[in-house]
């Protein structure tokens, strides 16, 4: 029953955000913007964006190294595509669990260990996004009184920094006092339903395994460099997509919009980031006055362009691994998995 409500809530968020993005745009305006777009440039933007899955797979190897140094780039890349395919097709962001499960089928690494590395990955992504956002806001072209969807950006920045500061403090405490903190979480989990409490403790223990990469200065430096590179390349794909739809802005705008999209898709919604992606992209461009039909058409076309390849390739890798879509939606949500 809880899952049903979460699914309904996610689809509700998607519907509301799509309505919000589309409410002031006429269908003929969207079609005109699409017809005038440069599809060669749009294809290039999609290709650059997909290239990032390879870069993410390389970084994943850095994060997994303290746990298992024997994972191949092929196994990580295949698991990466399977995970994002699951996120695109199945509600509740199942792909976050499917990716480590798929890797455990191809490499000698536990599901919990791989999941822990993904938690650290999200932590690094958050700081990379924050760094690039502030770089964009320090650029000369950034508006003096920025507003996103009638909300002062100053307020949003304060909330974002507060959340980031809390996350950093949590990470530092975990690094200094890992076992006592897990013990405390385990004690609190006893007051929760048994299944939920067990899951929380398992995730915490998995997180501790993933933290091993941060305890090595060399591995940490490599992971940080790759994280910054990944998000710069992702911003490049946005910038090329802007040009495809006749939106001529500086690269700093792409850095900023990439950050607003990354923040928006973190919200709970339906599968595939539908609605949240469009909301983040059009809102980010709106800060610079680049709104209207071209921005909305771009958000729809670029999202669809990125959705198709990773979904098809993920289905291909899942098929080679012997995983059906039903398997992906059930087995992938467990922290228990095989070792290759």
């Amino acid at each position: 029953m809880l899952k049903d409500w979460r699914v309904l809530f996610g689809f509700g968020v998607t519907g509301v955000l799509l309505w919000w993005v589309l409410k002031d745009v006429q269908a003929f305006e969207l079609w005109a913007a699409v017809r005038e777009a440069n599809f060669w440039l749009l294809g290039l933007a999609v290709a650059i964006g997909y290239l990032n899955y390879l870069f993410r797979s390389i970084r994943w190897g850095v994060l997994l190294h303290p746990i298992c140094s024997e994972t191949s780039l092929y196994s990580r890349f295949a698991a990466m595509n399977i995970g994002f395919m699951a996120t695109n097709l199945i509600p509740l962001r199942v792909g976050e669990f499917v990716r480590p499960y798929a890797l455990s089928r191809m490499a000698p690494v536990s599901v919990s260990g791989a999941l822990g590395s993904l938690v650290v990955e999200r932590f690094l992504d958050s700081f990379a996004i924050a760094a690039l956002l502030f770089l964009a806001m320090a650029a000369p072209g950034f508006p003096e009184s920025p507003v996103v969807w009638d909300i002062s950006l100053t307020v949003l920045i304060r909330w974002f920094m507060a959340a980031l500061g809390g996350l950093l403090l949590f990470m530092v405490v975990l690094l200094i006092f890992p076992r006592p903190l897990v013990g405390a979480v385990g004690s609190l989990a006893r007051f929760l339903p048994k299944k939920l409490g067990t899951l929380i403790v398992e995730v915490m223990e998995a997180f501790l395994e993933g933290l091993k990469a941060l305890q090595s200065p060399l591995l940490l430096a490599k992971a940080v460099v790759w994280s910054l590179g990944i998000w710069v390349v992702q911003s490049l794909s946005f910038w090329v997509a802007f040009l495809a739809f006749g939106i001529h802005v500086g690269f700093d705008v792409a850095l900023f919009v990439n950050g607003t999209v990354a923040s928006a898709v973190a919200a709970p919604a339906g599968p595939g980031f539908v609605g949240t992606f469009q909301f983040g992209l059009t809102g980010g461009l709106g800060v610079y006055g680049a709104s209207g039909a071209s921005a909305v058409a771009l958000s729809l076309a670029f999202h669809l362009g990125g959705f198709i390849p990773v979904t098809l390739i993920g289905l291909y890798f899942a098929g080679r691994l012997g995983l059906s879509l039903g398997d992906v939606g059930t087995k992938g949500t467990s922290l228990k998995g095989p070792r290759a």
Side-chain angles (χ1 to χ4, degrees):
M1 181 63 73
L2 177 60
K3 281 189 176 182
D4 292 341
W5 278 108
R6 288 171 60 192
V7 170
L8 290 174
F9 177 77
F11 278 105
V13 170
T14 290
V16 168
L17 292 183
L18 279 179
W19 168 80
W20 182 271
V21 169
L22 295 170
K23 66 184 177 68
D24 296 323
V25 180
Q26 300 296 321
F28 73 89
E29 294 177 317
L30 283 177
W31 178 239
V34 170
R35 288 183 60 187
E36 294 171 5
N38 185 325
F39 283 90
W40 289 106
L41 281 178
L42 181 61
L44 176 61
V46 170
I48 294 171
Y50 185 73
L51 182 64
N52 245 345
Y53 291 107
L54 176 62
F55 297 154
R56 286 180 173 273
S57 301
I58 295 172
R59 180 185 62 175
W60 197 12
V62 175
L63 298 177
L64 285 169
H65 189 272
I67 305 168
C68 177
S69 60
E70 301 174 16
T71 61
S72 66
L73 179 58
Y74 171 85
S75 65
R76 298 193 302 272
F77 182 69
M80 183 78 63
N81 281 272
I82 292 171
F84 276 92
M85 174 272 294
T87 296
N88 284 346
L89 299 180
I90 304 174
L92 304 178
R93 301 188 75 144
V94 169
E96 302 290 344
F97 293 92
V98 170
R99 182 162 34 132
Y101 175 80
L103 183 65
S104 74
R105 294 279 300 268
M106 295 179 282
V109 58
S110 67
V111 177
S112 60
L115 180 63
S117 69
L118 298 196
V119 178
V120 176
E121 181 182 287
R122 292 291 175 269
F123 172 76
L124 292 170
D125 282 341
S126 297
F127 277 92
I129 292 166
L132 297 181
L133 272 174
F134 281 104
L135 183 63
M137 289 186 287
F142 192 72
E144 291 185 5
S145 302
V147 174
V148 178
W149 295 124
D150 299 325
I151 301 173
S152 170
L153 193 61
T154 304
V155 176
L156 293 179
I157 291 172
R158 287 174 181 171
W159 280 104
F160 183 75
M161 290 306 297
L164 205 58
L167 179 60
L168 176 60
L169 179 61
F170 180 69
M171 293 287 289
V172 171
V173 172
L174 265 180
L175 285 171
I176 299 175
F177 307 108
R179 291 301 166 188
L181 188 57
V182 172
V185 171
S187 298
L188 293 174
R190 295 173 188 169
F191 298 98
L192 299 173
K194 184 176 180 181
K195 188 174 181 180
L196 177 60
T198 301
L199 177 62
I200 290 174
V201 172
E202 287 180 345
V203 170
M204 283 292 296
E205 291 176 345
F207 189 28
L208 287 182
E209 284 197 71
L211 281 176
K212 291 177 181 177
L214 299 186
Q215 295 169 349
S216 166
L218 179 59
L219 290 179
L220 176 59
K222 287 182 179 179
V224 169
V225 170
W226 274 111
S227 298
L228 290 171
I230 285 167
W231 287 99
V232 168
V233 171
Q234 186 69 28
S235 299
L236 177 62
S237 71
F238 274 89
W239 187 62
V240 175
F242 295 165
L243 296 179
F245 279 79
I247 300 173
H248 298 279
V249 292
F251 189 67
D252 58 308
V253 179
L255 293 175
F256 181 80
V257 172
N258 193 15
T260 60
V261 170
S263 301
V265 300
F273 311 120
V274 178
T276 51
F277 183 93
Q278 286 72 29
F279 184 79
L281 192 150
T282 55
L285 278 175
V287 170
Y288 293 87
S291 55
S294 293
V296 175
L298 160 66
S299 73
L300 295 169
F302 188 37
H303 186 213
L304 180 63
F307 181 98
I308 292 173
V310 71
T311 302
L312 294 179
I313 295 171
L315 286 169
Y316 165 77
F317 280 124
R320 291 202 60 178
L321 198 56
L323 286 173
S324 67
L325 198 58
D327 291 331
V328 166
T330 55
K331 294 179 181 178
T333 58
S334 172
L335 291 183
K336 308 297 183 184
R339 284 182 178 271

